[in-house]
Amino acid sequence: MPIKQWYSKKDILEIYPISIATYKNRIRSIDPTLTKFIKSASGSPTRLIHHSILDELFRKRRGLSKKEYKQTIKWVWNHHWNYIGNIVPENSTIDDIKHKMNFLFKELQSLSSKKNDLTLFYSVEKNSKDNYYHSHFLIDCKKTILNLKDIINKLEIICEPNTGKETRIHIKNYDLDYNKSGAIYSSKEKEYFFEILK
């Protein structure tokens, strides 16, 4: 995750989808050995927090409200996901992909008695070899309600199945060894559209 040892408030607010008030609230009980102060040009010293405690302090966050749309990508990067994948349907437009992913979400919801046990993030990206589109997605769910086979069955309703010559559906368990990199890849800034369904 971090590429440096110490992070300022400005750094932290750029990484995590939190407000200044939440930042101030969460640093109240921080271990003094994990924070330090350096001189600042503005007069007041700048607090720095050690990278080893950042996720524990700031990563956890409930869902976003609609007015926090600009925080969405940061929330996606910091959320804990169970599955990661993509679909490449034939000749799909942006609207086709949006419809397919909303349909997928409803189909996956139907497998659980509790509607709030499922979160799906998806993004739409243009294909590199033609003028159509594909989708990257991330799924968070209670492990007891969905497995890979369930999800693949539902994906095959909205996308042509894989063949020996081409892969149109790709999904796997989210590898925690990659930490946030899978979520960052799935929500690249060049996407044409993205949405969180929950």
Side-chain angles (χ1 to χ4, degrees):
M1 142 128 168
I3 55 173
K4 57 184 182 180
Q5 294 293 307
W6 297 92
Y7 283 70
S8 68
K9 177 175 73 176
K10 181 182 176 186
D11 296 330
I12 290 164
L13 293 175
E14 287 177 359
I15 297 168
Y16 298 93
I18 59 172
S19 65
I20 292 174
T22 299
Y23 167 84
K24 289 179 178 178
N25 187 48
R26 293 191 185 180
I27 64 170
R28 284 181 183 162
S29 58
I30 191 171
D31 181 338
T33 64
L34 297 172
T35 187
K36 68 179 182 178
F37 292 89
I38 59 170
K39 289 183 179 179
S40 168
S42 64
S44 300
T46 299
R47 178 193 293 267
L48 298 178
I49 298 176
H50 195 260
H51 73 87
S52 63
I53 197 76
L54 294 182
D55 276 354
E56 184 181 328
L57 279 176
F58 306 113
R59 189 171 186 179
K60 191 172 182 181
R61 168 73 201 265
R62 283 183 283 169
L64 301 172
S65 67
K66 289 184 178 180
K67 66 182 180 181
E68 294 177 295
Y69 184 77
K70 291 182 179 178
Q71 296 275 42
T72 299
I73 296 302
K74 284 191 276 184
W75 184 86
V76 169
W77 293 353
N78 288 286
H79 192 70
H80 293 276
W81 301 99
N82 301 115
Y83 300 100
I84 182 171
N86 64 70
I87 56 168
V88 188
E90 287 185 4
N91 306 335
S92 275
T93 65
I94 294 174
D95 284 340
D96 289 336
I97 297 284
K98 288 162 70 173
H99 176 75
K100 288 174 188 295
M101 297 310 289
N102 277 270
F103 178 83
L104 172 67
F105 179 69
K106 288 176 183 171
E107 287 291 304
L108 295 176
Q109 269 189 324
S110 71
L111 299 175
S112 170
S113 58
K114 294 182 179 179
K115 301 301 182 193
N116 60 353
D117 282 349
L118 178 69
T119 303
L120 177 109
F121 168 82
Y122 74 94
S123 59
V124 182
E125 186 176 8
K126 192 172 183 184
N127 296 343
S128 58
K129 296 180 179 177
D130 57 43
N131 289 320
Y132 297 107
Y133 296 82
H134 64 278
S135 178
H136 297 272
F137 61 86
L138 298 158
I139 297 172
D140 171 29
C141 62
K142 294 276 172 64
K143 280 289 192 179
T144 53
I145 67 166
L146 287 182
N147 57 48
L148 279 173
K149 186 176 180 183
D150 292 331
I151 301 170
I152 290 169
N153 287 341
K154 298 300 184 184
L155 287 169
E156 288 180 346
I157 298 172
I158 63 169
C159 183
E160 297 76 15
N162 296 335
T163 67
K165 293 185 177 179
E166 58 185 3
T167 302
R168 295 213 168 259
I169 296 172
H170 180 260
I171 184 168
K172 63 180 182 177
N173 288 301
Y174 194 98
D175 189 341
L176 296 179
D177 289 340
Y178 294 130
N179 202 329
K180 300 178 187 179
S181 60
I184 291 171
Y185 176 78
S186 297
S187 56
K188 301 187 293 287
E189 289 185 5
K190 66 179 182 177
E191 309 298 5
Y192 287 77
F193 179 84
F194 60 82
E195 184 176 21
I196 294 174
L197 302 173
K198 61 182 305 175

